[in-house]
Amino acid sequence: MNSPPAQEPTRFRYVILALLCLLAMITYMDRAANGSAKAAIMKDLNDQGSSYTEDDFFWVLMAFQFAYAIFEIPSGWLGDTRGPRSTLLRVVLWWTVFVALTGFTGMTLPVVGFVGFTALIVIQFLFGVGEAGAFPNISKSLYNWFPASDRGFAKSAIWMSARFMGGMTPLVWVLITDPEVAGLGWRQAMWLFASAAAVWCVAFFLLFTNKPNDHAQVNEAERAIIDAGRSPPAAHAGVPFAKLFASRNLLALCGMYVVTNFCWYFLMYFLPGELKSQFPEASKTLGGRIFVALLSGAPLLVGMGGCYLGGVMSDRYIRRTGDRKWGRRLIGMIGYGGAGLCYFLAAGVKLTDPNNLLLFAGLVILMGFMNDLMMAPSWAVCQDIGQKYAATVAGTMNMVGNLGGAFTGIFVTGWIRKHYPGTDGILILFTIYGVVYFIGVGLWMFIDASKPIVPDEPQADTAAS
């Protein structure tokens, strides 16, 4: 008698991945909108009698950054103990409210009164509280929905999406607010961005479950693919914080992520202004200003390729060799080494050929690509060593990394830019960034993705084969 044909596996996990990629895009879109709106926001405040400059907006960004950092672990804990579905719905709805409230800055409201600069800082702090829950719970969701062999690929898709939207948001903002295109005001643009997040929540509520076993659209064949190599789920006894925080593996991971945020924040917060001030001739015409703006966003756009390639290379190395430790570590070391070298070379160009915009910007753009080679492997390590506590581990890494980035942004990058304006500041900063990246290469040597902190599933190096 002929045996029945094998069941064709469904592929619903890719629908889940698409949902999470959209969330990553919305996260970066809402965050990057502040940089695009800051001139208009400060103008509206000053029209009401204030006397702020665009440089003062730095404190608004830092309020967001500190909140984003310190609420990573609580958000990760919620995802690990209550599931990513309810946690993501809460945090996205939370930050949607505060993105919308940002649009009221500079207005006088009934009962509330004038929404001024101090209120804007508070609003952005609370916005950061919400966004802190996004990536740890995305990481937890991918751990639940993807097999170990595809985690690097899945994380690369997430970070490609985030970098794409971060790089495109300035252009999207222009298309929405330019009088010759859509012609909306900055407030309406903020409310439109908030609406996009609210629509995402509806789709997520309808399509997402915490685990594949809970979803009617996932058949047994796909569940078998996702669960390959996992142990049967054990009862959840709470997050073992003492073991997590005592792990040298996690400490090295956190130190490594400080390196990324210290050196990468320059691209997010300072590069557009520095290109304008360092190369003033290029910004004298409309075409030149558009070109400089494109160069400013290019490191994030090119970083998409780094995110994708880093995840694919990491997973492929593990499948071919069975060596998870070096499959994650090697890609991170290559990325950091290349990024550090790019900063050194860009400093050299500024010293020897100070007016060469294309070569200078090209090296900075290449630095963005090299940095992002390590994004997917580093977040995949959170899943590898965190396992059922992946959200807490990812939240810890992101918290420490962003706190480090915020402090160094104020006390190193900000201080140097203030006291050493012009070329001298660029030379000092880029030399420091290059050295720090090579310290990061050393930190990767202490990260071992094959050693889970609290073993849950079999972690033999062949698990990814």
Side-chain angles (χ1 to χ4, degrees):
M1 184 173 63
N2 293 331
S3 59
Q7 185 183 37
E8 185 72 20
T10 52
R11 298 169 64 86
F12 198 81
R13 63 190 181 278
Y14 296 107
V15 175
I16 299 300
L17 180 60
L19 269 177
L20 298 174
C21 286
L22 282 173
L23 177 59
M25 294 173 70
I26 291 169
T27 299
Y28 263 58
M29 179 182 72
D30 288 349
R31 190 186 310 183
N34 285 323
S36 298
K38 67 179 180 180
I41 292 174
M42 301 310 274
K43 180 182 181 300
D44 278 6
L45 285 173
N46 290 336
D47 287 346
Q48 300 300 318
S50 302
S51 56
Y52 297 105
T53 67
E54 286 190 38
D55 288 340
D56 292 320
F57 201 83
F58 179 76
W59 296 106
V60 176
L61 298 175
M62 287 302 102
F64 167 87
Q65 211 63 54
F66 276 111
Y68 183 78
I70 62 180
F71 281 89
E72 288 282 326
I73 291 178
S75 298
W77 171 79
L78 282 173
D80 282 333
T81 55
R82 301 187 181 183
R85 184 175 188 268
S86 62
T87 306
L88 281 173
L89 282 171
R90 287 191 187 103
V91 300
V92 178
L93 287 171
W94 172 278
W95 94 56
T96 297
V97 169
F98 290 101
V99 170
L101 288 176
T102 301
F104 293 99
T105 304
M107 297 176 65
T108 300
L109 303 178
V111 181
V112 175
F114 181 64
V115 183
F117 188 71
T118 302
L120 176 61
I121 290 176
V122 173
I123 289 169
Q124 287 300 303
F125 181 89
L126 294 171
F127 170 37
V129 171
E131 281 224 346
F135 286 103
N137 284 282
I138 287 174
S139 188
K140 177 69 174 184
S141 301
L142 294 180
Y143 174 77
N144 288 346
W145 274 88
F146 278 81
S149 59
D150 286 338
R151 287 175 191 161
F153 153 75
K155 288 306 298 186
S156 70
I158 295 296
W159 283 108
M160 281 179 64
S161 303
R163 292 295 197 251
F164 171 76
M165 203 64 234
M168 290 300 294
T169 296
L171 176 60
V172 172
W173 187 268
V174 169
L175 295 176
I176 291 173
T177 60
D178 192 284
E180 296 183 9
V181 191
L184 297 180
W186 74 267
R187 304 179 194 280
Q188 288 76 26
M190 283 290 183
W191 296 331
L192 185 62
F193 282 12
S195 299
V199 171
W200 179 89
C201 286
V202 174
F204 184 76
F205 176 81
L206 295 174
L207 294 172
F208 186 86
T209 59
N210 284 325
K211 295 183 178 180
N213 288 343
D214 301 330
H215 208 293
Q217 298 298 317
V218 180
N219 66 11
E220 289 300 325
E222 185 176 15
R223 292 185 189 119
I225 293 172
I226 295 170
D227 292 337
R230 297 180 193 250
S231 298
H236 212 301
V239 177
F241 285 107
K243 287 186 177 181
L244 295 182
F245 295 155
S247 168
R248 288 182 294 179
N249 215 3
L250 181 54
L251 290 175
L253 192 66
C254 290
M256 176 276 301
Y257 214 61
V258 170
V259 169
T260 283
N261 285 280
F262 177 24
C263 301
W264 188 83
Y265 275 8
F266 180 85
L267 303 181
M268 191 77 171
Y269 296 139
F270 299 111
L271 181 61
E274 289 294 343
L275 287 182
K276 292 177 184 176
S277 64
Q278 295 289 327
F279 303 95
E281 293 296 321
S283 299
K284 287 187 174 180
T285 65
L286 175 60
R289 290 191 291 273
I290 292 174
F291 182 60
V292 170
L294 289 172
L295 290 178
S296 300
L300 277 74
L301 295 175
V302 172
M304 292 171 56
C307 291
Y308 174 76
L309 190 61
V312 170
M313 288 170 60
S314 177
D315 284 345
R316 185 171 297 174
Y317 185 99
I318 294 170
R319 282 195 292 267
R320 289 184 176 179
T321 67
D323 188 346
R324 188 184 303 273
K325 176 173 69 177
W326 280 98
R328 306 297 189 212
R329 178 186 290 173
L330 183 62
I331 308 305
M333 294 174 69
I334 291 171
Y336 270 7
L341 182 61
C342 287
Y343 265 132
F344 286 141
L345 291 174
V349 168
K350 193 60 184 166
L351 181 64
T352 59
D353 191 4
N355 296 317
N356 195 330
L357 170 61
L358 288 178
L359 184 55
F360 177 83
L363 286 166
V364 175
I365 291 167
L366 181 59
M367 189 286 300
F369 173 85
M370 297 304 297
N371 174 86
D372 283 358
L373 282 176
M374 51 66 59
M375 290 302 293
S378 63
W379 284 80
V381 169
C382 294
Q383 299 167 36
D384 294 331
I385 70 173
Q387 300 200 345
K388 66 182 178 182
Y389 307 111
T392 302
V393 169
T396 303
M397 180 189 77
N398 213 18
M399 181 198 76
V400 175
N402 278 279
L403 276 178
F407 277 110
T408 54
I410 294 172
F411 296 111
V412 180
T413 301
W415 188 89
I416 290 172
R417 288 179 73 252
K418 180 178 179 180
H419 291 87
Y420 296 92
T423 299
D424 288 346
I426 288 293
L427 294 177
I428 294 169
L429 280 175
F430 280 23
T431 301
I432 292 173
Y433 292 157
V435 170
V436 170
Y437 265 127
F438 278 96
I439 293 172
V441 172
L443 286 171
W444 269 104
M445 290 295 296
F446 295 93
I447 297 171
D448 187 348
S450 68
K451 294 182 178 179
I453 300 171
V454 183
D456 175 38
E457 63 182 49
Q459 194 73 2
D461 287 340
T462 57
S465 298

